[in-house]
Amino acid sequence: AQSVAQPEDQVNVAEGNPLTVKCTYSVSGNPYLFWYVQYPNRGLQFLLKYITGDNLVKGSYGFEAEFNKSQTSFHLKKPSALVSDSALYFCAVRDGDNFNKFYFGSGTKLNVKP
Amino acid sequence: GAVVSQHPSRVICKSGTSVKIECRSLDFQATTMFWYRQFPKQSLMLMATSNEGSKATYEQGVEKDKFLINHASLTLSTLTVTSAHPEDSSFYICSARTGMGHVGAFFGQGTRLTVV
């Protein structure tokens, strides 16, 4: 079965500092991994994905994520956080048997303070 | 990117009434759409897969008669919460895939349902 874990409910960083939001996964077969961001009372917005290729994936708004197969991790990173990055972040994996089905982590609330 | 529009964004209804939520793909055709439910401080839980022209596929534990899904066209799926109760209060989000290159999904902006 596919699953995703986000061990941190909340991450606090100061503006300008680097940020990391953690995600680990468990899949059968090749992982198709995603990060989405959710602003209050809004749907999810796609940030980036890993399908194959380079382990470092670059996405929207300056975010990137590093795929680590040995650690089964897909941590989201940004070199310099902005206050506007404050939101809820979800890691997701696509089902290997049903490509239409996504499994989401519990979400991590990112707080960037000025 | 592709746009998925959900309406209404907020709705308050009385217990026992029914509420319909619409999900539209604005610039692409979606043969399949998905409905998620999100409880406070929790992740999204897939409720059902909406298939154009056929019956929806519900996840285990989701009441079919409670959450009616209709996918009448390639750009519109509706979720009707029937005989709503306060415990149905939640954030409902739809999504769709374009099936054209992008392997992720596009999400609507969500609907905050409050049953009083």
Side-chain angles (χ1 to χ4, degrees):
Chain A
Q2 330 293 338
S3 67
V4 172
Q6 292 179 244
E8 302 156 315
D9 289 338
Q10 188 167 295
V11 169
N12 300 310
V13 298
E15 188 174 32
N17 283 0
L19 68 88
T20 299
V21 182
K22 295 180 181 178
C23 171
T24 58
Y25 65 89
S26 174
V27 302
S28 53
N30 295 321
Y32 285 47
L33 298 160
F34 302 82
W35 275 102
Y36 289 87
V37 58
Q38 184 182 31
Y39 295 99
N41 293 311
R42 301 292 298 275
L44 276 68
Q45 296 179 30
F46 171 79
L47 276 181
L48 52 79
K49 66 179 183 290
Y50 172 84
I51 305 300
T52 185
D54 291 340
N55 290 342
L56 186 63
V57 179
K58 294 188 181 298
S60 307
Y61 313 120
F63 283 93
E64 57 190 27
E66 186 170 9
F67 171 68
N68 187 316
K69 188 173 183 179
S70 62
Q71 297 184 7
T72 61
S73 66
F74 189 56
H75 300 333
L76 181 70
K77 299 180 180 183
K78 188 172 182 180
S80 179
L82 300 172
V83 173
S84 57
D85 292 331
S86 298
L88 191 56
Y89 290 81
F90 289 98
C91 183
V93 63
R94 202 174 78 180
D95 191 291
D97 296 324
N98 181 352
F99 278 8
N100 287 320
K101 206 166 180 177
F102 288 78
Y103 296 90
F104 287 85
S106 53
T108 299
K109 189 171 189 299
L110 174 65
N111 297 311
V112 182
K113 299 186 177 180
Chain B
V3 178
V4 175
S5 177
Q6 200 171 326
H7 178 81
S9 58
R10 290 177 180 270
V11 59
I12 300 173
C13 70
K14 292 183 178 180
S15 289
T17 62
S18 296
V19 175
K20 180 184 286 187
I21 303 170
E22 293 186 348
C23 179
R24 294 180 185 273
S25 56
L26 297 186
D27 51 359
F28 66 98
Q29 293 183 333
T31 55
T32 307
M33 292 185 177
F34 308 89
W35 287 96
Y36 292 83
R37 183 173 181 177
Q38 184 180 29
F39 291 100
K41 299 183 180 180
Q42 294 188 30
S43 188
L44 287 77
M45 299 299 295
L46 181 64
M47 296 174 66
T49 302
S50 172
N51 305 300
E52 187 268 335
S54 65
K55 291 182 179 180
T57 305
Y58 290 82
E59 295 298 301
Q60 191 172 8
V62 178
E63 298 177 61
K64 301 178 183 180
D65 296 331
K66 176 75 171 175
F67 299 100
L68 298 179
I69 292 173
N70 185 288
H71 197 143
S73 75
L74 288 171
T75 59
L76 173 64
S77 174
T78 60
L79 169 67
T80 301
V81 183
T82 63
S83 186
H85 290 105
E87 57 266 30
D88 298 325
S89 299
S90 190
F91 194 59
Y92 294 87
I93 305 176
C94 70
S95 76
R97 291 189 60 224
T98 64
M100 298 292 291
H102 184 79
V103 296
F106 295 95
F107 289 81
Q109 63 268 48
T111 298
R112 172 74 60 193
L113 170 63
T114 303
V115 185
V116 297

